[in-house]
């Protein structure tokens, strides 16, 4: 999604010569006639599944032989179907850009091999980084989790320097494997690591706060009631300007909303649990959007109260947010689009 535009990438499944093409659905104008929507991009090749995201008016297509498309001109800015600068690259990967260069991990399955810097389809530098994460990077901050060690790293592509490295071992929960995820809002990183959320200020490259959600009384009550068993702790975080939501998606699920002040103070607002699988995404408004037991739903951000659910379920595995639109997607091609005609104003918003 970009504003009210939904970009859908099609890949043929039939035998023989493959093809890929892209359509832009302007959802506020779409009349339901899919075949009449023009193609922005077409590729005569057979590819495996290709994820895509937009940033800075560009569409990044990852997966097999990644590409970059300029959404203003529909020009292909980079394509590994044109040339592959390093024969040792893995076939599938992702790319991102900064300062006119393309950055490409050498091996998507072994991040310890570092990242190549490419200009005009030639490798001009190599960054010996071990950072395992996939995000639409839009500036010089490159960040993620180490693969050899439990660390979180922030690196500057502008100065080619390590800005921050955090040891995550202290946040491990017992002997369980460390669950980790990161989301960014503005110049803040929200790093979920084991039992805590770590707040990082990118401008100062410093850890400015931490929040141990496991120690919260409401979460301890869930553990005491045996609602959560085994390693059913948070594995996902989604941040907005006023706070973040953490959740898991198992047969016994929970989500917790935590408010964050301008000064970085974090305070748990509420915790809800269910015996169904749950997925949730934060928004800039008063809503949390997601799925519970494969049914699209919305919750009040300030109470966790359910305020909407779709009339039917979905097999969606992803959620895209646009201007007054929420789209539920699945890699097999199932799409469900819902329009939020009137912004939701929570009666529970703090004064």
């Amino acid at each position: 999604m970009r504003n009210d535009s939904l970009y859908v990438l099609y890949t043929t499944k039939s035998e023989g010569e493959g093809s890929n093409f892209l359509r832009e659905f302007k959802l506020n104008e779409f009349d339901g006639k899919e075949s009449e929507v023009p193609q922005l991009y077409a590729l005569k090749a057979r590819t495996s599944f290709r994820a895509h995201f937009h940033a800075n008016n560009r569409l990044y297509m990852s997966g097999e032989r990644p590409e970059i498309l300029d959404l203003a001109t529909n020009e292909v800015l980079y394509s590994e179907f044109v040339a592959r600068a390093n024969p040792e690259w893995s076939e599938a990967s992702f790319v991102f850009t900064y300062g006119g260069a393309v950055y490409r991990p050498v091996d998507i399955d072994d991040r310890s091999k570092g990242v190549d810097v490419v200009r005009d389809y030639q490798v001009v530098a190599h960054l010996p980084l071990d950072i395992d994460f996939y995000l639409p990077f839009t500036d010089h901050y490159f960040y993620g989790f180490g693969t050899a060690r439990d660390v979180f790293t922030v690196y500057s592509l502008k100065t080619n320097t390590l800005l921050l490295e955090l040891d995550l071992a202290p946040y491990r929960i017992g002997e369980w494997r460390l669950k980790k995820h990161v989301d960014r809002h503005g110049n803040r990183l929200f790093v979920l690591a084991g039992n805590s959320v770590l707040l990082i200020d990118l401008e100062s490259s410093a850890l400015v706060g931490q929040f141990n959600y496991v120690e919260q009384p409401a979460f301890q009550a869930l553990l005491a009631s045996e609602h959560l068993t085994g390693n059913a702790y948070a594995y996902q975080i989604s941040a907005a300007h006023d706070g973040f939501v953490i959740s898991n998606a198992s047969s016994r699920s929970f989500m917790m909303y935590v408010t964050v002040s301008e000064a970085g103070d974090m305070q748990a607002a509420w915790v809800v649990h269910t015996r169904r699988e749950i997925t949730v995404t934060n928004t800039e408004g008063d809503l949390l959007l997601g799925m519970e037991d494969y049914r699209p739903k919305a919750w009040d951000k300030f109470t966790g109260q359910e305020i909407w659910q779709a009339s039917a379920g979905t097999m969606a595995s992803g959620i895209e947010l646009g201007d007054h639109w929420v789209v539920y997607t699945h890699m097999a091609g199932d799409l469900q689009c819902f329009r939020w005609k009137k912004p939701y104003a929570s009666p529970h918003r703090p004064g």
Side-chain angles (χ1 to χ4, degrees):
M1 286 293 299
R2 183 180 65 137
N3 301 324
D4 67 337
S5 290
L6 173 66
Y7 294 91
V8 180
L9 184 64
Y10 296 74
T11 301
T12 57
K13 294 182 178 179
S14 58
E15 296 297 327
E17 183 181 13
S19 65
N20 297 261
F21 60 90
L22 181 79
R23 284 183 171 135
E24 177 188 5
F25 292 85
K26 296 182 180 297
L27 295 180
N28 291 336
E29 307 169 7
F30 181 52
D31 60 4
K33 298 176 181 178
E34 180 180 0
S35 61
E36 296 183 7
V37 177
Q39 299 177 12
L40 302 184
Y41 149 100
L43 171 70
K44 289 293 184 182
R46 179 164 297 281
T47 65
S48 58
F49 169 70
R50 309 184 79 199
H52 56 288
F53 62 83
H54 80 85
N56 295 339
N57 214 34
R58 293 174 177 176
L59 191 76
Y60 295 80
M61 291 176 277
S62 61
E64 189 173 349
R65 297 199 180 189
E67 298 181 285
I68 303 173
L69 179 71
D70 188 320
L71 293 175
T73 63
N74 297 335
E75 176 189 1
V76 176
L77 303 178
Y78 173 85
S79 173
E80 291 183 13
F81 287 95
V82 174
R84 301 182 72 219
N86 185 345
E88 296 182 1
W89 282 347
S90 59
E91 189 74 10
S93 189
F94 64 90
V95 292
F96 60 96
T97 58
Y98 172 72
V102 173
Y103 291 79
R104 208 277 197 187
V106 173
D107 190 337
I108 193 69
D109 296 319
D110 185 359
R111 305 295 176 88
S112 67
K113 293 182 179 180
V115 177
D116 282 341
V117 185
V118 180
R119 293 182 184 272
D120 297 323
Y121 294 101
Q122 299 291 323
V123 175
V124 296
H126 177 77
L127 305 179
L129 300 173
D130 177 12
I131 297 180
D132 183 9
F133 211 78
Y134 169 74
L135 277 176
F137 299 100
T138 58
D139 52 26
H140 70 98
Y141 295 112
F142 182 50
Y143 49 86
F145 300 95
T147 62
R149 298 179 296 139
D150 282 332
V151 295
F152 182 80
T153 300
V154 180
Y155 184 88
S156 172
L157 302 175
K158 183 177 183 179
T159 61
N160 289 327
T161 56
L162 184 66
L163 301 179
L164 180 69
E165 184 175 87
L166 293 178
D167 179 12
L168 303 181
Y171 310 106
R172 182 183 296 277
I173 301 174
E175 298 301 319
W176 298 109
R177 180 180 178 183
L178 188 72
K179 291 189 176 181
K180 51 201 176 185
H181 191 213
V182 60
D183 197 16
R184 177 178 176 177
H185 188 272
N187 282 322
R188 284 176 166 179
L189 294 180
F190 297 80
V191 182
L192 172 63
N195 59 22
S196 296
V197 174
L198 311 178
L199 181 60
I200 295 173
D201 178 76
L202 284 173
E203 290 186 348
S204 62
S205 301
L207 175 65
V208 296
Q210 61 185 62
F211 177 83
N212 189 319
Y213 76 90
V214 175
E215 291 181 348
Q216 300 302 307
F219 193 85
Q220 285 293 313
L222 288 184
L223 294 176
S225 65
E226 297 186 347
H227 171 75
L228 295 178
T229 58
N231 194 21
Y233 293 92
Y235 83 102
Q236 189 173 42
I237 186 168
S238 180
H241 70 285
D242 49 14
F244 60 84
V245 59
I246 54 176
S247 60
N248 67 359
S250 60
S251 58
R252 293 186 176 188
S253 303
F254 80 94
M255 58 180 176
M256 174 189 289
Y257 196 79
V258 179
T259 60
V260 182
S261 70
E262 287 292 329
D265 297 322
M266 294 175 274
Q267 184 174 357
W270 49 262
V271 180
V272 298
H273 65 85
T274 175
R275 294 189 179 276
R276 303 181 180 93
E277 294 187 10
I278 194 168
T279 302
V280 60
T281 298
N282 206 351
T283 73
E284 292 303 308
D286 292 357
L287 287 175
L288 299 176
L289 294 168
M291 295 174 286
E292 184 175 5
D293 201 22
Y294 298 101
R295 185 179 294 269
K297 290 189 175 185
W299 299 269
D300 186 298
K301 178 184 291 188
F302 303 103
T303 65
Q305 178 184 3
E306 179 186 313
I307 62 169
W308 169 80
Q309 70 171 2
S311 59
T314 177
M315 292 303 295
S317 57
I319 301 172
E320 293 286 333
L321 301 179
D323 292 347
H324 306 294
W325 288 91
V326 56
V327 180
Y328 292 83
T329 67
H330 190 274
M331 65 180 66
D334 181 37
L335 295 174
Q336 287 185 302
C337 305
F338 298 91
R339 185 181 183 187
W340 212 260
K341 297 180 181 179
K342 182 179 179 181
Y344 172 73
S346 171
H348 307 286
R349 170 178 280 277

